[in-house]
Amino acid sequence: MSQSESFTQHDSNAGDAEMADSDDELDEEDDIPNESEPHLPTPSEEVEEEDSAIAKRRAIQAILRDPSLSEEDRRRRIQSLMSGGRTAVAPPPAPVIPNGMIEAESCVHYERNCSIVAPCCNRIYGCRVCHDELSGHAPLNRFLIREIVCKLCHTRQATSNQCISCGVVFGEYHCGICNLWMARSKKPFHCAECGFCRVGGAENFRHCRECCMCISINVFHTHNCFKDKYKNNCPVCREDMFSSRQSPQDLPCGHAIHAHCFRKLAGFDYRCPICKKTVVSPQSMAAAWEARARDIAEQPMPTDLRRVVDIMCNDCELKSHQQQWHFLGVQCPSCHSFNTVVEQVLSVGNNGDSRSANSSSENP
């Protein structure tokens, strides 16, 4: 049961108690003949009730504005205020959890012998990723996990790496900071500067304080270093790359993208989705640019469709003026790339009509 459900249960119990008190009072009054008219509140009593409601609203607003209170403290104080100072204590969790209460005992993400108790909803899942995929809640904060359930004996207990009941070890690798249990086959390690665990072996990575990421030692001295480069969302899938379980990849332009997203992107586009620079090396693209130039030479534009344009190259960032437009693209005279953008149309057709337009159209 979550904190919010617990509070709801407390409010319901408090309401039931109030209803029971009222029923007792009615039973006592039924024994007394009611010879007078029903009691109507006097104006002074109505004023007192209104003042009490206003005071209660102001007290609730003061609790909500108090920055020193945690969310749980705010809920408890408001609950106490609404119930007239009466408090209800939630029953302690049962030491053994029935199988039916476990939302996702089998976990496909990690090899481990325990499930976690989600602190946000008090439900049991195989791991935090299982929670995020199945619950529909906001992502679970791994650092707030305080309880786990043994998969063998189903004993609910505080986080550790060994069951207090059957003695089974929960994971080959255990990080008490990240609340992570997993096999050592992926070489997990905790990076204090990143703040959580990574995989791949600590000996194979170095932490770059500028990029705020563990970088492979093979490319550490040559990688493009930008401030907080990985503390951004992937431009393709929009997932946070810093805490993502998917490995990131540096592009030649310096931007970062998920490696699996880059493979999908490369199937239909050769440019960075952020700056539009070519992500393939100029040497590898030289053959493609030469083939494009041959196709243009073999397919000249009809005279009535010819245009003279100004372009800007996304690769070398140089502008070129009075270039012949073609539907297959306009080649940059500086770096020979076809990754160009038409900035202005100077003339169209044989009559040389001058047309000025900031078209921002891109060549294929």
Side-chain angles (χ1 to χ4, degrees):
M1 182 180 292
S2 67
Q3 292 178 353
S4 59
E5 291 171 340
S6 175
F7 297 144
T8 303
Q9 182 68 36
H10 299 164
D11 292 342
S12 177
N13 293 339
D16 293 341
E18 291 173 0
M19 291 295 293
D21 293 342
S22 299
D23 291 341
D24 293 340
E25 292 171 2
L26 289 176
D27 292 339
E28 293 174 358
E29 291 173 359
D30 287 341
D31 297 335
I32 303 174
N34 185 8
E35 299 177 354
S36 61
E37 293 294 329
H39 173 72
L40 297 177
T42 64
S44 60
E45 291 176 340
E46 292 180 351
V47 171
E48 289 179 0
E49 291 180 0
E50 184 177 355
D51 292 343
S52 176
I54 294 175
K56 187 176 294 186
R57 284 197 297 270
R58 289 177 178 174
I60 293 175
Q61 292 172 356
I63 293 173
L64 294 175
R65 286 195 298 265
D66 190 347
S68 63
L69 298 177
S70 65
E71 189 66 25
E72 182 177 353
D73 291 336
R74 291 192 181 98
R75 290 176 180 175
R76 291 186 182 278
R77 293 196 180 190
I78 293 176
Q79 177 190 358
S80 176
L81 185 66
M82 296 301 295
S83 61
R86 292 189 298 252
T87 58
V89 180
V96 178
I97 307 298
N99 290 337
M101 294 182 62
I102 301 179
E103 298 286 342
E105 183 176 13
S106 61
C107 174
V108 298
H109 307 101
Y110 301 103
E111 295 181 24
R112 53 171 63 171
N113 292 319
C114 65
S115 301
I116 64 167
V117 180
C120 58
C121 58
N122 208 32
R123 294 179 180 174
I124 302 169
Y125 294 91
C127 69
R128 66 178 183 87
V129 184
C130 293
H131 168 274
D132 296 347
E133 293 178 351
L134 300 175
S135 68
H137 302 166
L140 187 148
N141 187 336
R142 70 190 82 184
F143 306 108
L144 298 181
I145 298 173
R146 295 293 180 267
E147 291 183 293
I148 54 177
V149 176
C150 177
K151 288 185 177 181
L152 275 67
C153 65
H154 302 293
T155 301
R156 183 166 175 167
Q157 55 199 281
T159 55
S160 68
N161 197 33
Q162 189 171 16
C163 180
I164 60 175
S165 179
C166 66
V168 67
V169 176
F170 295 134
E172 295 178 358
Y173 173 85
H174 171 237
C175 177
I177 300 175
C178 300
N179 293 307
L180 176 64
W181 298 262
M182 64 181 297
R184 290 190 176 275
S185 57
K186 293 186 177 182
K187 299 181 178 180
F189 66 96
H190 183 85
C191 176
E193 294 182 273
C194 284
F196 44 76
C197 293
R198 304 273 186 197
V199 295
E203 69 279 4
N204 298 321
F205 291 87
R206 284 183 60 186
H207 185 86
C208 176
R209 295 183 178 179
E210 188 72 14
C211 295
C212 289
M213 178 64 77
C214 290
I215 307 295
S216 171
I217 58 175
N218 297 326
V219 297
F220 184 83
H221 296 290
T222 58
H223 78 282
N224 292 316
C225 201
F226 292 115
K227 179 68 174 176
D228 296 336
K229 176 169 61 174
Y230 294 97
K231 289 191 174 180
N232 293 295
N233 294 337
C234 173
V236 175
C237 68
R238 306 305 301 166
E239 181 186 1
D240 174 45
M241 287 189 293
F242 181 69
S243 60
S244 174
R245 298 176 68 245
Q246 304 294 334
S247 59
Q249 177 171 332
D250 272 353
L251 300 181
C253 58
H255 293 114
I257 186 175
H258 279 140
H260 71 284
C261 291
F262 173 72
R263 288 191 291 269
K264 293 180 181 179
L265 180 68
F268 58 88
D269 198 355
Y270 55 85
R271 299 172 300 174
C272 169
I274 298 176
C275 66
K276 301 302 182 182
K277 289 184 180 295
T278 303
V279 298
V280 185
S281 65
Q283 294 78 11
S284 301
M285 291 298 298
W289 297 150
E290 291 177 2
R292 182 80 62 88
R294 285 196 301 269
D295 292 341
I296 291 176
E298 293 172 359
Q299 304 177 57
M301 292 294 296
T303 55
D304 58 329
L305 296 179
R306 291 176 183 174
R307 300 179 184 177
V308 178
V309 297
D310 290 344
I311 63 170
M312 187 189 76
C313 179
N314 288 325
D315 290 338
C316 66
E317 300 182 1
L318 294 179
K319 294 184 178 183
S320 302
H321 304 283
Q322 297 184 347
Q323 301 297 308
Q324 294 296 323
W325 177 83
H326 196 279
F327 68 90
L328 292 178
V330 183
Q331 190 172 28
C332 173
S334 299
C335 65
H336 307 293
S337 170
F338 277 89
N339 185 11
T340 57
V341 178
V342 175
E343 287 198 324
Q344 190 174 23
V345 178
L346 302 178
S347 63
V348 178
N350 286 332
N351 54 13
D353 289 343
S354 177
R355 298 184 182 180
S356 177
N358 295 324
S359 61
S360 75
S361 61
E362 297 184 359
N363 291 305

PDB file of all heavy atoms in Angstrom, residues 7 39 42 68 74 79 105 113 121 131 137 143 152-153 212 229 235 249 277 284 292:
ATOM      1  N   PHE A   7      -2.841   7.102   3.446  1.00  0.00           N
ATOM      2  CA  PHE A   7      -3.523   8.289   3.938  1.00  0.00           C
ATOM      3  C   PHE A   7      -4.996   8.236   3.604  1.00  0.00           C
ATOM      4  O   PHE A   7      -5.854   8.659   4.382  1.00  0.00           O
ATOM      5  CB  PHE A   7      -2.889   9.548   3.346  1.00  0.00           C
ATOM      6  CG  PHE A   7      -1.450   9.730   3.753  1.00  0.00           C
ATOM      7  CD1 PHE A   7      -0.532  10.260   2.871  1.00  0.00           C
ATOM      8  CD2 PHE A   7      -1.027   9.364   5.018  1.00  0.00           C
ATOM      9  CE1 PHE A   7       0.777  10.433   3.252  1.00  0.00           C
ATOM     10  CE2 PHE A   7       0.279   9.532   5.399  1.00  0.00           C
ATOM     11  CZ  PHE A   7       1.199  10.058   4.498  1.00  0.00           C
ATOM     12  N   HIS A  39     -33.337  21.589  16.097  1.00  0.00           N
ATOM     13  CA  HIS A  39     -32.465  22.720  16.433  1.00  0.00           C
ATOM     14  C   HIS A  39     -31.873  23.333  15.166  1.00  0.00           C
ATOM     15  O   HIS A  39     -31.319  22.628  14.322  1.00  0.00           O
ATOM     16  CB  HIS A  39     -31.341  22.243  17.353  1.00  0.00           C
ATOM     17  CG  HIS A  39     -30.318  23.314  17.613  1.00  0.00           C
ATOM     18  ND1 HIS A  39     -30.572  24.410  18.423  1.00  0.00           N
ATOM     19  CD2 HIS A  39     -29.046  23.452  17.134  1.00  0.00           C
ATOM     20  CE1 HIS A  39     -29.501  25.179  18.455  1.00  0.00           C
ATOM     21  NE2 HIS A  39     -28.551  24.623  17.681  1.00  0.00           N
ATOM     22  N   THR A  42     -27.806  29.072  15.285  1.00  0.00           N
ATOM     23  CA  THR A  42     -27.978  30.513  15.434  1.00  0.00           C
ATOM     24  C   THR A  42     -26.971  31.246  14.567  1.00  0.00           C
ATOM     25  O   THR A  42     -25.965  30.665  14.125  1.00  0.00           O
ATOM     26  CB  THR A  42     -27.775  30.911  16.900  1.00  0.00           C
ATOM     27  OG1 THR A  42     -26.417  30.616  17.262  1.00  0.00           O
ATOM     28  CG2 THR A  42     -28.718  30.141  17.810  1.00  0.00           C
ATOM     29  N   SER A  68      10.465  23.841   4.637  1.00  0.00           N
ATOM     30  CA  SER A  68      11.230  22.926   5.487  1.00  0.00           C
ATOM     31  C   SER A  68      10.549  21.566   5.646  1.00  0.00           C
ATOM     32  O   SER A  68      11.158  20.632   6.174  1.00  0.00           O
ATOM     33  CB  SER A  68      11.443  23.550   6.873  1.00  0.00           C
ATOM     34  OG  SER A  68      10.193  23.749   7.527  1.00  0.00           O
ATOM     35  N   ARG A  74       3.999  17.106   5.082  1.00  0.00           N
ATOM     36  CA  ARG A  74       2.834  17.933   4.722  1.00  0.00           C
ATOM     37  C   ARG A  74       1.556  17.100   4.762  1.00  0.00           C
ATOM     38  O   ARG A  74       0.523  17.533   5.284  1.00  0.00           O
ATOM     39  CB  ARG A  74       3.030  18.544   3.344  1.00  0.00           C
ATOM     40  CG  ARG A  74       4.125  19.606   3.267  1.00  0.00           C
ATOM     41  CD  ARG A  74       4.030  20.357   1.950  1.00  0.00           C
ATOM     42  NE  ARG A  74       5.057  21.367   1.814  1.00  0.00           N
ATOM     43  CZ  ARG A  74       6.188  21.206   1.138  1.00  0.00           C
ATOM     44  NH1 ARG A  74       6.410  20.047   0.526  1.00  0.00           N
ATOM     45  NH2 ARG A  74       7.083  22.166   1.050  1.00  0.00           N
ATOM     46  N   GLN A  79      -3.490  15.811   7.233  1.00  0.00           N
ATOM     47  CA  GLN A  79      -4.391  14.748   7.680  1.00  0.00           C
ATOM     48  C   GLN A  79      -4.779  14.946   9.142  1.00  0.00           C
ATOM     49  O   GLN A  79      -5.947  14.804   9.517  1.00  0.00           O
ATOM     50  CB  GLN A  79      -3.717  13.392   7.509  1.00  0.00           C
ATOM     51  CG  GLN A  79      -4.568  12.236   8.010  1.00  0.00           C
ATOM     52  CD  GLN A  79      -3.798  10.947   8.054  1.00  0.00           C
ATOM     53  OE1 GLN A  79      -2.641  10.916   7.669  1.00  0.00           O
ATOM     54  NE2 GLN A  79      -4.417   9.893   8.519  1.00  0.00           N
ATOM     55  N   GLU A 105       7.387 -10.584 -10.713  1.00  0.00           N
ATOM     56  CA  GLU A 105       8.463 -11.267 -10.003  1.00  0.00           C
ATOM     57  C   GLU A 105       9.593 -11.610 -10.953  1.00  0.00           C
ATOM     58  O   GLU A 105      10.760 -11.518 -10.597  1.00  0.00           O
ATOM     59  CB  GLU A 105       7.907 -12.518  -9.321  1.00  0.00           C
ATOM     60  CG  GLU A 105       8.949 -13.252  -8.484  1.00  0.00           C
ATOM     61  CD  GLU A 105       8.358 -14.427  -7.757  1.00  0.00           C
ATOM     62  OE1 GLU A 105       7.226 -14.807  -8.085  1.00  0.00           O
ATOM     63  OE2 GLU A 105       9.025 -14.953  -6.864  1.00  0.00           O
ATOM     64  N   ASN A 113      18.052 -12.405  -7.285  1.00  0.00           N
ATOM     65  CA  ASN A 113      17.155 -13.261  -6.505  1.00  0.00           C
ATOM     66  C   ASN A 113      16.221 -12.465  -5.602  1.00  0.00           C
ATOM     67  O   ASN A 113      15.719 -12.998  -4.613  1.00  0.00           O
ATOM     68  CB  ASN A 113      17.979 -14.237  -5.654  1.00  0.00           C
ATOM     69  CG  ASN A 113      18.713 -15.259  -6.498  1.00  0.00           C
ATOM     70  OD1 ASN A 113      18.168 -15.790  -7.464  1.00  0.00           O
ATOM     71  ND2 ASN A 113      19.961 -15.545  -6.141  1.00  0.00           N
ATOM     72  N   CYS A 121       4.685   3.538  -4.702  1.00  0.00           N
ATOM     73  CA  CYS A 121       3.363   2.917  -4.710  1.00  0.00           C
ATOM     74  C   CYS A 121       3.272   1.700  -3.800  1.00  0.00           C
ATOM     75  O   CYS A 121       2.205   1.104  -3.680  1.00  0.00           O
ATOM     76  CB  CYS A 121       2.962   2.526  -6.131  1.00  0.00           C
ATOM     77  SG  CYS A 121       4.121   1.384  -6.929  1.00  0.00           S
ATOM     78  N   HIS A 131       9.239  -1.632 -13.040  1.00  0.00           N
ATOM     79  CA  HIS A 131       8.275  -0.661 -12.515  1.00  0.00           C
ATOM     80  C   HIS A 131       7.948   0.398 -13.554  1.00  0.00           C
ATOM     81  O   HIS A 131       6.778   0.717 -13.789  1.00  0.00           O
ATOM     82  CB  HIS A 131       8.837  -0.007 -11.252  1.00  0.00           C
ATOM     83  CG  HIS A 131       8.060   1.193 -10.798  1.00  0.00           C
ATOM     84  ND1 HIS A 131       8.290   2.470 -11.297  1.00  0.00           N
ATOM     85  CD2 HIS A 131       7.045   1.329  -9.898  1.00  0.00           C
ATOM     86  CE1 HIS A 131       7.452   3.314 -10.733  1.00  0.00           C
ATOM     87  NE2 HIS A 131       6.692   2.658  -9.883  1.00  0.00           N
ATOM     88  N   HIS A 137       3.599   4.840 -13.770  1.00  0.00           N
ATOM     89  CA  HIS A 137       3.984   5.955 -12.906  1.00  0.00           C
ATOM     90  C   HIS A 137       5.164   6.696 -13.514  1.00  0.00           C
ATOM     91  O   HIS A 137       5.717   6.328 -14.555  1.00  0.00           O
ATOM     92  CB  HIS A 137       4.401   5.456 -11.513  1.00  0.00           C
ATOM     93  CG  HIS A 137       3.332   4.670 -10.829  1.00  0.00           C
ATOM     94  ND1 HIS A 137       3.574   3.895  -9.719  1.00  0.00           N
ATOM     95  CD2 HIS A 137       2.012   4.532 -11.099  1.00  0.00           C
ATOM     96  CE1 HIS A 137       2.450   3.316  -9.337  1.00  0.00           C
ATOM     97  NE2 HIS A 137       1.498   3.682 -10.157  1.00  0.00           N
ATOM     98  N   PHE A 143      17.405   5.492  -5.656  1.00  0.00           N
ATOM     99  CA  PHE A 143      18.053   5.778  -4.376  1.00  0.00           C
ATOM    100  C   PHE A 143      17.081   5.739  -3.196  1.00  0.00           C
ATOM    101  O   PHE A 143      17.509   5.738  -2.046  1.00  0.00           O
ATOM    102  CB  PHE A 143      18.746   7.141  -4.423  1.00  0.00           C
ATOM    103  CG  PHE A 143      19.715   7.272  -5.572  1.00  0.00           C
ATOM    104  CD1 PHE A 143      19.425   8.071  -6.659  1.00  0.00           C
ATOM    105  CD2 PHE A 143      20.909   6.581  -5.563  1.00  0.00           C
ATOM    106  CE1 PHE A 143      20.304   8.186  -7.714  1.00  0.00           C
ATOM    107  CE2 PHE A 143      21.806   6.694  -6.611  1.00  0.00           C
ATOM    108  CZ  PHE A 143      21.505   7.490  -7.693  1.00  0.00           C
ATOM    109  N   LEU A 152      12.896 -16.433  -3.356  1.00  0.00           N
ATOM    110  CA  LEU A 152      12.815 -17.835  -2.972  1.00  0.00           C
ATOM    111  C   LEU A 152      11.821 -18.061  -1.838  1.00  0.00           C
ATOM    112  O   LEU A 152      10.946 -18.925  -1.929  1.00  0.00           O
ATOM    113  CB  LEU A 152      14.200 -18.349  -2.567  1.00  0.00           C
ATOM    114  CG  LEU A 152      15.102 -18.848  -3.709  1.00  0.00           C
ATOM    115  CD1 LEU A 152      15.506 -17.709  -4.628  1.00  0.00           C
ATOM    116  CD2 LEU A 152      16.316 -19.568  -3.165  1.00  0.00           C
ATOM    117  N   CYS A 153      11.920 -17.265  -0.764  1.00  0.00           N
ATOM    118  CA  CYS A 153      11.026 -17.465   0.385  1.00  0.00           C
ATOM    119  C   CYS A 153       9.993 -16.360   0.538  1.00  0.00           C
ATOM    120  O   CYS A 153       9.171 -16.407   1.450  1.00  0.00           O
ATOM    121  CB  CYS A 153      11.847 -17.595   1.665  1.00  0.00           C
ATOM    122  SG  CYS A 153      12.762 -16.083   2.112  1.00  0.00           S
ATOM    123  N   CYS A 212      30.831  15.227 -18.094  1.00  0.00           N
ATOM    124  CA  CYS A 212      30.043  14.578 -17.042  1.00  0.00           C
ATOM    125  C   CYS A 212      29.612  13.180 -17.472  1.00  0.00           C
ATOM    126  O   CYS A 212      28.431  12.809 -17.399  1.00  0.00           O
ATOM    127  CB  CYS A 212      28.821  15.411 -16.656  1.00  0.00           C
ATOM    128  SG  CYS A 212      29.239  16.912 -15.757  1.00  0.00           S
ATOM    129  N   LYS A 229      27.744  17.553 -21.970  1.00  0.00           N
ATOM    130  CA  LYS A 229      27.251  17.104 -23.276  1.00  0.00           C
ATOM    131  C   LYS A 229      26.216  15.989 -23.146  1.00  0.00           C
ATOM    132  O   LYS A 229      25.245  15.936 -23.919  1.00  0.00           O
ATOM    133  CB  LYS A 229      28.434  16.623 -24.116  1.00  0.00           C
ATOM    134  CG  LYS A 229      28.036  16.037 -25.463  1.00  0.00           C
ATOM    135  CD  LYS A 229      29.233  15.823 -26.361  1.00  0.00           C
ATOM    136  CE  LYS A 229      30.224  14.858 -25.790  1.00  0.00           C
ATOM    137  NZ  LYS A 229      31.315  14.572 -26.747  1.00  0.00           N
ATOM    138  N   PRO A 235      18.503  13.152 -29.327  1.00  0.00           N
ATOM    139  CA  PRO A 235      17.706  13.904 -30.314  1.00  0.00           C
ATOM    140  C   PRO A 235      16.749  13.042 -31.122  1.00  0.00           C
ATOM    141  O   PRO A 235      15.877  13.578 -31.803  1.00  0.00           O
ATOM    142  CB  PRO A 235      18.775  14.534 -31.218  1.00  0.00           C
ATOM    143  CG  PRO A 235      19.968  13.666 -31.065  1.00  0.00           C
ATOM    144  CD  PRO A 235      19.939  13.163 -29.656  1.00  0.00           C
ATOM    145  N   GLN A 249      26.702   7.537 -28.205  1.00  0.00           N
ATOM    146  CA  GLN A 249      27.758   7.567 -29.228  1.00  0.00           C
ATOM    147  C   GLN A 249      28.040   9.013 -29.610  1.00  0.00           C
ATOM    148  O   GLN A 249      27.126   9.798 -29.816  1.00  0.00           O
ATOM    149  CB  GLN A 249      27.327   6.762 -30.458  1.00  0.00           C
ATOM    150  CG  GLN A 249      28.340   6.803 -31.594  1.00  0.00           C
ATOM    151  CD  GLN A 249      27.993   5.832 -32.712  1.00  0.00           C
ATOM    152  OE1 GLN A 249      27.350   4.812 -32.472  1.00  0.00           O
ATOM    153  NE2 GLN A 249      28.403   6.148 -33.922  1.00  0.00           N
ATOM    154  N   LYS A 277      25.179  18.496 -39.781  1.00  0.00           N
ATOM    155  CA  LYS A 277      26.457  18.181 -40.405  1.00  0.00           C
ATOM    156  C   LYS A 277      26.495  16.700 -40.778  1.00  0.00           C
ATOM    157  O   LYS A 277      25.862  15.859 -40.125  1.00  0.00           O
ATOM    158  CB  LYS A 277      27.623  18.512 -39.469  1.00  0.00           C
ATOM    159  CG  LYS A 277      27.859  20.004 -39.279  1.00  0.00           C
ATOM    160  CD  LYS A 277      29.091  20.245 -38.417  1.00  0.00           C
ATOM    161  CE  LYS A 277      29.339  21.739 -38.224  1.00  0.00           C
ATOM    162  NZ  LYS A 277      29.677  22.393 -39.498  1.00  0.00           N
ATOM    163  N   SER A 284      34.884   8.949 -46.667  1.00  0.00           N
ATOM    164  CA  SER A 284      33.871   7.936 -46.985  1.00  0.00           C
ATOM    165  C   SER A 284      32.777   8.495 -47.876  1.00  0.00           C
ATOM    166  O   SER A 284      32.181   7.759 -48.669  1.00  0.00           O
ATOM    167  CB  SER A 284      33.262   7.394 -45.682  1.00  0.00           C
ATOM    168  OG  SER A 284      34.250   6.821 -44.858  1.00  0.00           O
ATOM    169  N   ARG A 292      26.940  11.639 -57.209  1.00  0.00           N
ATOM    170  CA  ARG A 292      25.874  12.634 -57.313  1.00  0.00           C
ATOM    171  C   ARG A 292      26.215  13.671 -58.378  1.00  0.00           C
ATOM    172  O   ARG A 292      25.326  14.075 -59.168  1.00  0.00           O
ATOM    173  CB  ARG A 292      25.680  13.317 -55.961  1.00  0.00           C
ATOM    174  CG  ARG A 292      24.558  14.370 -55.910  1.00  0.00           C
ATOM    175  CD  ARG A 292      23.201  13.731 -55.766  1.00  0.00           C
ATOM    176  NE  ARG A 292      23.091  12.979 -54.530  1.00  0.00           N
ATOM    177  CZ  ARG A 292      22.709  13.493 -53.371  1.00  0.00           C
ATOM    178  NH1 ARG A 292      22.407  14.785 -53.296  1.00  0.00           N
ATOM    179  NH2 ARG A 292      22.604  12.741 -52.300  1.00  0.00           N
TER     180      ARG A 292
END
